[in-house]
């Protein structure tokens, strides 16, 4: 899969965030283009975070024995986001504080061109602009 250009990623993110902020009540699947290949949406991120902590994986992640692993995993994710954050202007902390409801990550083909790929991040920023 060819790497998307930083311009296409930035453009997709800006469009997605503007759409999400202007139409906060609309679910992400109604905003994504027909060229969407895959997406994952969390309708209420705060509720997801609370419920995640109640799962076996959430409890395992909180176990003191797993603390070094969890810290390393978080550092790896933060590092990956930092690499793309240069292009997007977002940090992990930004993503954790900006959402007001639904969060969605999608893979699309701009203009239906099979040679192009882009990632879209949408977040309902209601009350967090």
């Amino acid at each position: 899969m060819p790497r998307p250009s930083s311009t296409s990623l930035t453009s997709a993110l800006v469009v997605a965030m503007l759409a999400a902020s202007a139409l906060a009540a609309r679910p992400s699947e109604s905003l994504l283009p027909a060229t969407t290949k895959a997406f994952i949406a969390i309708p209420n991120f705060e509720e997801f975070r609370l419920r995640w902590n109640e799962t076996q994986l959430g409890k395992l992640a909180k176990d003191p024995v797993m603390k070094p692993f969890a810290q390393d995993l978080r550092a790896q994710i933060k590092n990956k986001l930092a690499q793309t954050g240069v292009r997007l202007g977002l940090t992990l902390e930004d993503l954790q504080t900006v959402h007001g409801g639904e969060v969605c990550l999608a893979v699309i083909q701009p203009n239906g061109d099979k040679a192009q790929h882009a990632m879209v991040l949408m977040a309902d920023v209601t009350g967090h602009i």
Side-chain angles (χ1 to χ4, degrees):
M1 178 186 289
R3 290 187 66 170
S5 71
S6 62
T7 303
S8 67
L9 285 172
T10 303
S11 298
L13 180 65
V14 169
V15 168
M17 290 186 89
L18 288 174
S21 66
L23 305 167
R26 292 184 58 193
S28 59
E29 63 264 19
S30 69
L31 299 172
L32 292 169
T35 59
T36 301
K37 294 301 174 186
F39 79 96
I40 184 168
I42 300 170
N44 183 322
F45 196 79
E46 281 305 313
E47 183 178 339
F48 170 79
R49 193 185 325 222
L50 292 172
R51 289 183 182 230
W52 170 260
N53 291 334
E54 296 173 5
T55 67
Q56 288 182 339
L57 284 174
K59 290 175 183 175
L60 182 64
K62 297 274 186 201
D63 188 315
V65 172
M66 296 298 292
K67 188 174 183 177
F69 172 77
Q71 287 175 330
D72 182 62
L73 182 60
R74 185 172 182 82
Q76 288 180 43
I77 293 169
K78 197 171 188 175
N79 185 38
K80 281 288 189 192
L81 284 175
Q83 290 173 11
T84 59
V86 171
R87 295 186 303 229
L88 300 176
L90 292 172
T91 65
L92 181 59
E93 290 75 22
D94 292 336
L95 293 174
Q96 290 176 327
T97 59
V98 75
H99 63 82
E102 183 179 37
V103 175
C104 173
L105 182 66
V107 178
I108 64 169
Q109 284 182 332
N111 302 317
D113 183 348
K114 292 184 180 187
Q116 293 186 352
H117 301 84
M119 294 204 61
V120 176
L121 171 66
M122 290 191 290
D124 178 351
V125 296
T126 302
H128 293 89
I129 295 175

